[in-house]
Amino acid sequence: MSTDTDLVALVRSASRTMVRELGFMQTTLAATDYSPSAVHTLLELDMQGALTAAQLVQLLGLEKSSVSRMLAKLAAAGEVTECAPPAGMAADARIKPLQLTAQGRRTAAAIHRFGGQRVEAALQQLSPTVQQTVAQGLNAYAGALQSCRQGQTQEPTQGQAIPPLVTLHAGYRPGVIGRVAEMHARFYARHAGFGALFESKVAGGLAEFVGRLDQTGNQIWCAMQQDRIVGAIAIDGQDLGQGQAHLRWFILDDGCRGSGTGRRLLQQALAFCDRQDFAATQLWTFQGLDAARALYEAHGFALVHEAPGSQWGHAVTEQQFTRTRPSAGATPPAAKA
């Protein structure tokens, strides 16, 4: 498929203007004393919770020596500190996860405020319709650039209306416990006959997990449509132990099904698992959810166990799926009770 050369030139010109106007030509960024790479490091640590230097090399596309020097400066400035490795994994002097200090979290919050104010000021000069077009277009273009870097391809679509913009956010969002419990309750009531017992277990388990989000190896992502949560996925790095990650609470609002949002959420969660060096990722579901199973299997999960169960108040055939980290050869654990 060929692309109009005038369109390519227009996008390139706009990209150069954005780079200049957003301050990336300067030695510091976002009203800080830090370089663009340091600012992006602070934001990634704020979103992901903890990362190693090797993981930051991959995320930022920088040389190892440059990342090492930059991290040393951030540590000396009191912005980052070493933290414990993921639960169930032995400490390794060569792999030292880093996380933000209290000062680092304040700095990241200030960067978010600065960036938000810049974007808001620019968007206010556009009509609401153009604002949505800009947000949707930039989101799609950024995703396409990322796919090119990762060697992936996306099939272009024609004649389809642009769906409402859905953005992904890592970490706690106000209302996430109730909203995720609601989406689970509605979906599984229709598809499996689950009732109050199931909803209460989802809400209780998620509430307990949210209290552990500050622990290394735990993270949740929300798909947001403006201020509304329309999807979620979580990685619990503590409850299984043995270097295993537990994929939990993966759910979408009915209006987002088929939009690719679920795939994006799953990819975010699995990329997090790989950066955290979990040997394998486990998930539990039940027979009959064919679309979900196809998505799991497309991302490296395999069915390893199934058996009848009624822990949710209704008899189903429960299934365990396992994805082994690409560079690991760990043996999956026995099925979870």
Side-chain angles (χ1 to χ4, degrees):
M1 177 182 175
S2 62
T3 304
D4 190 308
T5 55
D6 290 340
L7 184 62
V8 171
L10 181 61
V11 172
R12 292 187 61 209
S13 175
S15 297
R16 291 194 298 273
T17 301
M18 289 175 62
V19 166
R20 292 193 294 268
E21 294 302 324
L22 290 174
F24 282 93
M25 301 293 288
Q26 307 299 320
T27 56
T28 61
L29 184 67
T32 70
D33 295 327
Y34 298 125
S35 65
S37 60
V39 168
H40 278 255
T41 294
L42 293 171
L43 294 178
E44 288 295 337
L45 289 173
D46 182 54
M47 294 178 63
Q48 302 293 346
L51 295 168
T52 66
Q55 292 164 349
L56 284 167
V57 167
Q58 294 180 347
L59 277 172
L60 302 178
L62 299 175
E63 294 182 356
K64 181 179 179 181
S65 58
S66 298
V67 171
S68 296
R69 289 193 296 269
M70 179 259 295
L71 288 174
K73 292 180 180 178
L74 289 176
E79 304 282 7
V80 303
T81 185
E82 293 179 10
C83 60
M89 298 188 69
D92 188 334
R94 299 168 299 175
I95 303 175
K96 299 178 180 179
L98 299 167
Q99 65 182 9
L100 296 180
T101 62
Q103 174 184 318
R105 289 192 293 273
R106 290 193 294 270
T107 301
I111 294 171
H112 282 303
R113 285 195 298 271
F114 178 87
Q117 290 167 357
R118 289 291 306 277
V119 172
E120 183 177 2
L123 288 178
Q124 285 178 349
Q125 301 187 54
L126 306 173
S127 69
T129 299
V130 176
Q131 289 177 9
Q132 288 294 319
T133 301
V134 168
Q136 292 163 359
L138 282 175
N139 187 63
Y141 182 52
L145 287 173
Q146 186 179 55
S147 294
C148 289
R149 179 173 63 85
Q150 296 174 345
Q152 301 172 351
T153 59
Q154 298 185 54
E155 290 296 327
T157 57
Q158 296 182 357
Q160 295 182 355
I162 298 176
L165 178 66
V166 176
T167 56
L168 306 187
H169 300 266
Y172 170 79
R173 307 288 294 186
V176 66
I177 296 171
R179 178 67 176 132
V180 170
E182 176 194 0
M183 287 189 289
H184 273 80
R186 291 182 180 277
F187 179 82
Y188 287 100
R190 291 196 308 270
H191 292 273
F194 293 171
L197 174 63
F198 172 74
E199 183 176 357
S200 64
K201 284 190 174 184
V202 170
L206 184 55
E208 186 276 333
F209 171 75
V210 166
R212 295 189 280 111
L213 276 177
D214 60 340
Q215 301 297 310
T216 302
N218 297 335
Q219 189 56 279
I220 189 169
W221 294 262
C222 292
M224 305 292 298
Q225 201 168 54
Q226 296 182 331
D227 293 329
R228 185 169 182 259
I229 297 173
V230 293
I233 194 170
I235 293 296
D236 190 333
Q238 294 179 307
D239 67 331
L240 298 181
Q242 301 179 17
Q244 308 288 317
H246 186 181
L247 191 153
R248 312 179 72 179
W249 301 298
F250 185 21
I251 191 70
L252 288 176
D253 183 83
D254 288 344
C256 285
R257 299 187 188 281
S259 69
T261 300
R263 184 177 298 274
R264 292 168 58 201
L265 282 169
L266 184 58
Q267 290 172 345
Q268 286 272 359
L270 295 180
F272 174 80
C273 290
D274 292 342
R275 288 194 298 271
Q276 294 293 321
D277 287 328
F278 287 113
T281 304
Q282 313 291 337
L283 69 86
W284 281 263
T285 182
F286 59 87
Q287 191 178 79
L289 303 178
D290 296 335
R293 176 171 181 168
L295 182 60
Y296 297 142
E297 291 178 337
H299 287 79
F301 283 91
L303 177 65
V304 295
H305 182 79
E306 62 180 357
S310 57
Q311 63 171 314
W312 306 113
H314 192 84
V316 294
T317 300
E318 298 180 347
Q319 297 177 321
Q320 178 191 355
F321 286 81
T322 295
R323 172 189 179 267
T324 302
R325 181 165 52 90
S327 60
T331 300
K336 183 179 181 183

